[in-house]
Amino acid sequence: MCFCAESTAVMQDRAMDIGNLSSLLETARTGTLRGAAARLRVDETTVSRRIARLEKELGVRLFDRGARSWSLTESGRALLPHAEAIDSEAARARESLSSSSGELSGTARVLTMDGFGAYLLIPGLAPLLRAHPRLELEILTGSSRGLVTARDFDLAVTLERPGPRSAIVSRLAYYDLKFYASHEYLRRHGCPQELRELREHHDLVWYIDSVLDVEPLRILETLVPRARARVQTNNIAGHHAAARAGLGIVPLPTYIGGEDPELTEVLGQSLHARRCYWLVVPHESARLWRVRETAEAITALVREHPRLQLADGCSTLGARRDRIEGDGD
């Protein structure tokens, strides 16, 4: 049965239990009762019971129950944006009560690319957490387009500008990728002086091509035509570890490779690429104080880092508050 006008009328005519809606949202976001229960800080039975109650109330099946995961039905997907809107309004109400005391609280969910998250964001969180002792952060890192096409985030830092959706999207920062190798590797193999030598006589390390779906990272063929990475791994921490271990020559952001005294830059200015990070904030999240503060902390981190260039026109959510709150969802 489809979530249609009849079910919409039921939803409007009956008071929706926020706990039931929260259980639906977290199960949709995590794909499991266990994950939803952990986020809601209740047991799995409670989550299951709330979803069953919501299904009975609406007269539709919202999830297909699998042995390992739960996935939304067509009706569940139709209900999801309405549930998100209600949940967002409830979050704003809770936040307004806590902000009246001058204390920021709650959880901000941040999605970031591997490098930005592990090497920049996480090490730079201390000032934000010290300023707001009751703020909690959930940080998910990865190098997959699927991260930002999912709905489960308050703000995201990505290498690709997302397609149309209800979000504020702006350029955040530019960074450079250069090639690095360990001192030991260069001692054993010598330092290449030109691209042909690099391609023909040296080992390269990069992403696994068959699973790389982030277009701005498909740069190896462009920078080193006809080259193939001998060592391939799906995350930047693996690239960095491979470089330090002397497994080959590795493209790394300068904020990683240039900061590591164990590595040497190879071929200098003749071999590099510039890339852009985008900041993505759904409109419903942009209204939340904790999200605005987190976005401001990320912008400050970029502004102060010597190997990043803050994008022209990058503005904080706080500066755009009047326009945001005037926008329709």
Side-chain angles (χ1 to χ4, degrees):
M1 181 178 178
C2 185
F3 185 79
C4 57
E6 179 182 354
S7 298
T8 304
V10 173
M11 185 175 178
Q12 293 171 340
D13 291 341
R14 299 181 182 177
M16 304 301 293
D17 189 307
I18 192 65
N20 297 346
L21 290 174
S22 296
S23 293
L24 176 137
L25 285 173
E26 298 302 347
T27 303
R29 288 164 173 168
T30 64
T32 66
L33 289 181
R34 182 178 182 180
R39 283 190 170 184
L40 294 170
R41 298 177 182 175
V42 297
D43 57 61
E44 294 177 37
T45 302
T46 298
V47 176
S48 179
R49 185 172 61 248
R50 288 174 175 174
I51 292 173
R53 189 181 303 142
L54 186 59
E55 289 179 323
K56 182 178 180 180
E57 185 176 358
L58 294 174
V60 295
R61 186 175 182 84
L62 299 172
F63 285 95
D64 288 323
R65 278 81 161 163
R68 294 183 177 274
S69 65
W70 285 30
S71 59
L72 287 169
T73 62
E74 182 181 351
S75 295
R77 289 191 296 273
L79 174 60
L80 187 61
H82 302 285
E84 287 177 324
I86 294 172
D87 183 70
S88 177
E89 288 302 312
R92 290 180 66 195
R94 290 191 297 268
E95 188 173 81
S96 67
L97 293 175
S98 63
S99 63
S100 64
S101 64
E103 289 190 74
L104 187 155
S105 63
T107 300
R109 294 177 180 140
V110 185
L111 302 188
T112 85
M113 303 301 294
D114 278 331
F116 190 94
Y119 290 88
L120 295 175
L121 179 59
I122 292 174
L125 284 175
L128 176 66
L129 295 177
R130 282 197 299 266
H132 305 288
R134 296 181 60 195
L135 175 66
E136 296 181 2
L137 297 174
E138 293 182 1
I139 301 170
L140 177 63
T141 67
S143 297
S144 170
R145 178 180 299 170
L147 281 177
V148 181
T149 57
R151 304 176 70 94
D152 183 21
F153 65 89
D154 292 314
L155 62 164
V157 176
T158 177
L159 278 172
E160 292 185 289
R161 181 171 186 165
R165 59 163 291 159
S166 182
I168 299 167
V169 180
S170 60
R171 287 184 177 88
L172 174 64
Y174 296 99
Y175 74 96
D176 291 319
L177 276 158
K178 295 186 178 182
F179 284 63
Y180 296 89
S182 70
H183 308 320
E184 175 60 20
Y185 176 89
L186 295 176
R187 185 188 66 79
R188 287 186 286 111
H189 298 277
C191 187
Q193 301 301 310
E194 56 181 21
L195 284 180
R196 181 188 59 79
E197 185 182 352
L198 174 66
R199 180 177 59 248
E200 297 178 3
H201 302 294
H202 289 272
D203 294 330
L204 295 173
V205 178
W206 195 230
Y207 287 98
I208 303 172
D209 188 67
S210 61
V211 299
L212 180 60
D213 65 355
V214 179
E215 192 61 34
L217 293 179
R218 291 186 170 276
I219 63 168
L220 191 59
E221 172 64 24
T222 301
L223 294 176
V224 189
R226 301 182 303 282
R228 178 173 174 79
R230 185 180 183 191
V231 177
Q232 300 178 39
T233 182
N234 68 334
N235 65 73
I236 204 164
H239 299 166
H240 186 203
R244 290 178 61 90
L247 299 186
I249 296 177
V250 189
L252 289 170
T254 58
Y255 63 75
I256 299 175
E259 298 292 309
D260 190 336
E262 298 298 316
L263 302 180
T264 296
E265 185 180 315
V266 174
L267 289 176
Q269 292 299 320
S270 65
L271 191 62
H272 72 282
R274 172 155 284 204
R275 290 294 179 262
C276 177
Y277 285 126
W278 295 83
L279 182 65
V280 183
V281 185
H283 283 296
E284 62 270 18
S285 297
R287 294 181 169 92
L288 298 174
W289 180 25
R290 60 179 179 268
V291 174
R292 295 198 299 272
E293 287 294 307
T294 303
E296 174 59 35
I298 291 174
T299 303
L301 184 156
V302 167
R303 184 184 298 113
E304 295 164 7
H305 199 286
R307 295 187 184 272
L308 296 174
Q309 179 185 336
L310 188 67
D312 292 339
C314 179
S315 60
T316 66
L317 295 179
R320 303 172 66 170
R321 181 176 180 180
D322 291 341
R323 189 184 68 77
I324 291 168
E325 294 191 349
D327 288 345
D329 287 340

